[in-house]
Amino acid sequence: MQLFYCYRNAYPSYMRENYQQVVLKPQCQIPYQLFYRQLPQVDPSFFEESVKSMQKLLSEASLVLTKLASSKSFAQKVMTAAQASNMVEVERLIKSTGIHSTVETAFNPDGIILKLSSKIGNLECCHLSLGLRWQ
């Protein structure tokens, strides 16, 4: 049988010189048992599909970023629509880059946040958030 040792509370360093006899001396012996959890068998199939969906989201995010970086007029249209709080126009412009994933947009005076998400069946498997500042 393995033993568990109990110790009195450790004293702060400035008190140890007066209480050397109590530091780390066994005070009681209590038997203990180790408990192991039984873990379920893993199935990586959904995880693999989620990874593939994330790769698709990354490529679509690259499309949006490329369009924003290469076209000053497109970036200006997105900023103008966001400044006017025209959510429908902002989402239409972002979708016009050629992406097919679900996009949620949020913006404030400092920038825009794009959340691209993907589903497998009825479950949202993954999402990718892009935060871009314009001020």
Side-chain angles (χ1 to χ4, degrees):
M1 177 181 356
Q2 304 234 349
L3 299 177
F4 177 78
Y5 292 96
C6 298
Y7 298 101
R8 289 189 188 170
N9 292 336
Y11 291 96
S13 60
Y14 64 88
M15 294 178 68
R16 284 199 186 126
E17 60 269 2
N18 297 330
Y19 296 97
Q20 289 296 322
Q21 72 276 9
V22 295
V23 176
L24 299 180
K25 289 188 177 181
Q27 299 299 320
C28 63
Q29 298 177 352
I30 301 172
Y32 71 94
Q33 295 177 336
L34 294 175
F35 295 97
Y36 294 101
R37 291 187 302 158
Q38 192 68 15
L39 300 174
Q41 191 70 16
V42 296
D43 179 16
S45 59
F46 187 80
F47 185 60
E48 289 172 347
E49 289 181 48
S50 181
V51 169
K52 290 175 185 173
S53 294
M54 180 56 81
Q55 287 175 328
K56 181 182 172 193
L57 290 179
L58 286 169
S59 66
E60 290 187 349
S62 180
L63 284 173
V64 173
L65 294 175
T66 301
K67 180 71 173 181
L68 287 169
S70 64
S71 174
K72 194 170 189 174
S73 64
F74 180 76
Q76 185 176 11
K77 287 178 187 176
V78 170
M79 290 177 69
T80 303
Q83 185 179 17
S85 296
N86 190 349
M87 183 75 77
V88 175
E89 180 64 12
V90 172
E91 289 184 0
R92 187 193 67 75
L93 288 167
I94 297 299
K95 284 281 197 179
S96 73
T97 61
I99 64 173
H100 302 289
S101 300
T102 305
V103 180
E104 293 177 30
T105 58
F107 38 82
N108 57 38
D110 292 334
I112 187 167
I113 298 170
L114 305 172
K115 180 183 173 188
L116 288 78
S117 58
S118 182
K119 289 186 176 183
I120 298 175
N122 292 330
L123 296 174
E124 182 179 325
C125 66
C126 49
H127 68 268
L128 177 65
S129 294
L130 301 171
L132 304 167
R133 290 194 61 161
W134 52 51
Q135 255 186 355

